């Protein structure tokens, strides 16, 4: 386990840091073919961390060709599950060895608190890689019940070249959720990190090489969505594209798949998750704590953020008072301080977007019960106070659209039926919470909630054994669990006539 460090320790490490800045193509760190670079910025200070290689279509073409060659010659795809397991276990070990370094990169690049980056992002990423490494030699194929005159084999084949396009809010963890099952299944993988947060992806490439992944099997292409991302989506030799990000961009990738080779396109997109608290909630303090955590954790930059707090009338006022008090205690601080619970918004553009939604909420008649302003202005960074609106109706903009910031909309309802109706009146269906002491209500109402994950009497429950993904415009396919292997493999039916 990584030793505890102080804020001064992390600041010293940051001052001495020399991050990787080049793309990783064909087993080598290289400049972009164009020679272009772009700045990655520390959102806590507004200062440039480094200039990163800006890949475009030419780099994509080269990386895809190398990935295809690696897949076709079997240097990874034909290795036994046991051998792939050994390499991926080594990768998980190296991620834990360099946990402090990875956490520092994540915090500097994205603005999240260092304690969370270390315990959650890096720890969970290493666990994910280890989990799929251990699972890959325990997944069996099938023999069909076809009688004595034929043999029907149902097998999984790796799909080929997989492109993974991941967001900036959990850069390392979202990458791990995709690359771990894709690599475990025997694919060649190309990772395009978000332009706001490329640093841990480039460090991960270094660790993959050290772990023993062959050249061309894992590559990293930093760059922008309209260039590098689009080129991957349209490429005729990319067999599968897995994306986490906004619904708007997810729809573009589906179009790219249709315009090119009908590649498999798997999407984990936006959310506007309802947190339903009924009058028979067993522990109002626990519900309040999870309501605050569910929207202010990671500065609200979470696809499953519990951004709609839907509360039955009889407990509305008491719960709102408790959540306001908790929000007041979660003010933004220096992300490099291990005591900080809430960090910086990822960049200035996102900060202005969130502040714009707050202004919209006020204009539409919402009652600003807490926050609503930029914080730590003199730092030069991009911080926003924990913000709570009461008096919200479900048709207001801030109750319908994904804000991706620390903004909570509290909606009062008269009973459980109205609560479920309001919860489901949404374009998204990624996650939902339900609070009740009645086990029958817990079962019946959770079934009525239209969401890929339903958490009863908690927020963000689950582990690697539970699939994660959405209904409706929150996407398709599932990350985590053995179900994720379905995205990165093809089912092959082989019929052998024995007569």
């Amino acid at each position: 386990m990584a030793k505890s460090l102080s804020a001064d320790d992390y600041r010293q490490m940051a001052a001495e840091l020399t991050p990787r800045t080049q793309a990783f193509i064909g087993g080598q760190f290289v400049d972009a073919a164009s020679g272009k670079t772009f700045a990655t910025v520390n959102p806590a200070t507004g200062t440039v961390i480094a200039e990163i290689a800006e890949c475009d279509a030419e780099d994509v073409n080269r990386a895809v060709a190398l990935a295809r060659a690696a897949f076709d010659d079997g240097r990874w795809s034909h290795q036994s599950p046991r051998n792939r397991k050994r390499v991926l276990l080594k990768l998980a070990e190296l991620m834990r060895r360099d946990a402090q370094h990875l956490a520092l990169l994540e915090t500097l690049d994205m603005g999240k608190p260092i304690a969370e980056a270390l315990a959650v992002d890096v720890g969970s990423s290493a666990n994910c890689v280890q989990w799929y490494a251990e699972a890959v030699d325990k997944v069996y194929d099938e023999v069909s019940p076809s009688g004595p005159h034929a043999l029907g084999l149902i097998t999984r084949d790796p799909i080929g070249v997989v492109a993974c396009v991941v967001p900036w809010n959990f850069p390392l963890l979202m990458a791990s959720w995709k690359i771990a099952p894709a690599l475990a299944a025997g694919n060649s993988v190309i990772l395009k990190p978000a332009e706001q947060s490329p640093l841990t992806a480039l460090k991960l490439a270094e660790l993959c090489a050290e772990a023993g992944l062959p050249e061309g099997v894992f590559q990293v292409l930093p760059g922008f969505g309209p260039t590098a991302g689009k080129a991957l989506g349209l490429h005729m030799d990319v067999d599968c594209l897995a994306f986490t990000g906004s619904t708007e961009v997810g729809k573009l990738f589906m179009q790219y798949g249709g315009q090119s080779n009908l590649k498999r396109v798997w999407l984990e997109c936006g959310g506007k998750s309802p947190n339903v608290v009924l009058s028979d909630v067993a522990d109002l303090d626990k519900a309040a704590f999870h309501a605050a955590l569910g929207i202010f954790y990671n500065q609200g930059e979470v696809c499953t953020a519990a951004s709609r707090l839907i509360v039955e009338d009889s407990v509305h006022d008491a719960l709102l008072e408790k959540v306001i008090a908790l929000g007041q205690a979660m003010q933004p601080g220096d992300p490099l301080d291990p005591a900080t619970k809430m960090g910086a918004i990822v960049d200035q553009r996102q900060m202005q977007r969130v502040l714009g939604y707050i202004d919209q909420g006020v204009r539409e008649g919402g009652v600003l019960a807490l926050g609503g302003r930029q914080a730590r202005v003199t730092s030069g960074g991009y911080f926003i106070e924990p913000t709570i609106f009461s008096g919200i109706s479900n048709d207001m903009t801030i109750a319908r659209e994904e804000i991706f910031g620390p903004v909570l909309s509290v909606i009062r309802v008269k009973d459980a039926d109205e609560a479920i109706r309001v919860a489901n009146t949404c374009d998204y269906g990624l996650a939902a919470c339900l609070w009740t002491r009645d086990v029958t209500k817990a079962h019946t109402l959770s079934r009525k909630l239209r969401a890929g994950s339903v958490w009863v009497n908690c927020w963000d429950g689950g582990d690697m054994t539970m699939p994660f993904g959405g209904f409706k415009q929150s996407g398709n396919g599932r990350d985590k669990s053995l179900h994720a292997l379905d995205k990165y493999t093809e089912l092959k039916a082989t019929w052998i006539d024995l007569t």
Side-chain angles (χ1 to χ4, degrees):
M1 180 177 292
K3 66 176 182 178
S4 298
L5 299 178
S6 67
D8 287 340
D9 291 330
Y10 284 117
R11 293 182 189 119
Q12 182 64 32
M13 287 174 62
E16 298 172 353
L17 183 70
T18 304
R20 290 283 188 183
T21 60
Q22 295 174 296
F24 187 71
I25 301 174
Q28 303 293 325
F29 284 99
V30 296
D31 293 334
S34 66
K36 292 182 180 179
T37 63
F38 65 93
T40 187
V41 174
N42 182 345
T45 62
T47 58
V48 173
I49 303 170
E51 292 288 333
I52 307 298
E54 182 183 333
C55 294
D56 58 22
E58 185 175 351
D59 304 287
V60 167
N61 289 337
R62 182 181 173 216
V64 172
L66 291 169
R68 173 61 61 195
F71 181 78
D72 288 346
D73 69 23
R75 69 188 73 167
W76 181 250
S77 58
H78 292 173
Q79 285 198 28
S80 68
R82 176 185 293 182
N83 286 341
R84 296 200 298 270
K85 171 182 178 177
R86 175 181 51 79
V87 173
L88 292 176
L89 286 176
K90 179 64 174 179
L91 174 59
E93 177 188 328
L94 295 173
M95 292 169 73
R96 294 189 178 101
R97 182 198 69 187
D98 291 356
Q100 297 284 8
H101 189 123
L102 286 164
L104 180 62
L105 291 174
E106 205 83 328
T107 290
L108 291 175
D109 221 9
M110 188 261 152
K112 65 175 63 208
I114 188 72
E116 293 173 1
L118 184 61
V120 177
D121 296 61
V122 179
S124 297
S125 297
N127 288 342
C128 174
V129 173
Q130 179 180 334
W131 195 88
Y132 283 105
E134 293 174 341
V136 70
D137 62 353
K138 301 171 184 67
V139 178
Y140 287 78
D141 292 322
E142 304 170 46
V143 176
S144 67
S146 303
H149 303 299
L151 179 63
L153 303 177
I154 303 164
T155 57
R156 290 177 181 266
D157 285 0
I159 198 168
V161 176
V162 175
C164 301
V165 181
V166 298
W168 45 258
N169 59 331
F170 290 92
L172 184 62
L173 184 57
M174 295 300 98
S176 298
W177 280 10
K178 288 174 169 49
I179 72 166
L183 289 171
N187 297 287
S188 296
V189 176
I190 300 169
L191 173 64
K192 195 205 87 66
E195 57 267 25
Q196 296 90 340
S197 55
L199 296 183
T200 48
L202 296 172
K203 177 64 177 177
L204 186 62
E206 178 184 300
L207 298 182
C208 283
E210 185 177 350
L213 273 173
E215 292 182 6
V217 171
F218 179 69
Q219 302 174 89
V220 178
L221 303 179
F224 293 90
T227 49
K230 183 176 181 179
L232 286 167
L234 289 171
H235 204 288
M236 295 295 291
D237 215 20
V238 171
D239 301 297
C240 168
L241 189 141
F243 169 76
T244 293
S246 71
T247 296
E248 177 185 8
V249 176
K251 290 178 179 180
L252 290 176
F253 277 118
M254 292 200 79
Q255 293 175 42
Y256 300 153
Q259 292 165 13
S260 55
N261 59 341
L262 282 181
K263 60 176 60 63
R264 308 295 187 269
V265 177
W266 302 108
L267 306 174
E268 194 265 279
C269 296
K272 193 69 181 175
S273 299
N275 184 6
V276 177
V277 181
L278 301 181
S279 59
D280 65 347
V281 54
D283 186 339
L284 203 61
D285 287 328
K286 181 182 177 183
F289 174 78
H290 282 254
L293 185 69
I295 187 61
F296 301 135
Y297 173 73
N298 208 53
Q299 305 73 249
E301 296 167 324
V302 184
C303 54
T304 58
S307 54
R308 291 185 296 152
L309 182 57
I310 302 169
V311 190
E312 204 166 350
D313 184 74
S314 63
V315 294
H316 174 278
D317 293 350
L319 181 63
L320 177 58
E321 182 180 349
K322 291 177 182 293
V323 177
I324 289 172
L326 289 164
Q328 289 171 333
M330 294 183 69
Q331 295 302 312
D334 178 2
L336 290 177
D337 186 342
T340 293
K341 300 300 182 185
M342 188 172 162
I345 303 298
V346 70
D347 61 16
Q348 186 173 29
R349 178 181 178 184
Q350 180 64 16
M351 180 183 71
Q352 294 301 330
R353 181 176 185 271
V354 174
L355 292 172
Y357 272 110
I358 293 170
D359 290 342
Q360 181 78 7
V362 172
R363 288 196 301 272
E364 293 186 3
V367 178
L368 196 55
L370 180 68
R373 297 167 298 184
Q374 183 178 354
R376 296 175 61 87
V377 177
T378 59
S379 68
Y382 317 121
F383 298 86
I384 294 178
E385 297 173 328
T387 299
I388 299 174
F389 278 96
S390 62
I392 296 298
S393 63
N394 207 43
D395 59 353
M396 291 182 178
T397 301
I398 60 171
R400 290 186 292 105
E401 297 184 8
E402 185 178 41
I403 298 174
F404 229 61
V407 182
L408 177 65
S409 296
V410 185
I411 303 171
R412 187 193 297 259
V413 293
K414 65 179 183 298
D415 56 28
D417 288 339
E418 183 183 5
I420 298 302
R421 185 169 63 254
V422 169
N424 286 336
T425 305
C426 181
D427 291 336
Y428 302 105
L430 191 56
C433 302
L434 176 67
W435 295 82
T436 177
R437 74 174 72 208
D438 186 324
V439 68
T440 300
K441 278 186 183 178
H443 280 286
T444 58
L445 297 182
S446 63
R447 289 186 177 186
K448 292 181 179 181
L449 287 165
R450 297 289 295 162
S453 295
V454 177
W455 302 310
V456 179
N457 296 331
C458 66
W459 174 76
D460 197 27
D463 57 20
M464 279 302 303
T465 67
M466 296 289 286
F468 179 81
F471 290 12
K472 299 189 280 188
Q473 292 192 45
S474 289
N476 57 45
R478 294 296 182 265
D479 289 321
K480 301 170 58 182
S481 82
L482 293 179
H483 292 281
L485 294 172
D486 295 338
K487 299 196 300 186
Y488 307 115
T489 54
E490 296 278 25
L491 279 183
K492 177 181 286 184
T494 303
W495 183 267
I496 303 174
D497 191 337
L498 301 179
T499 60

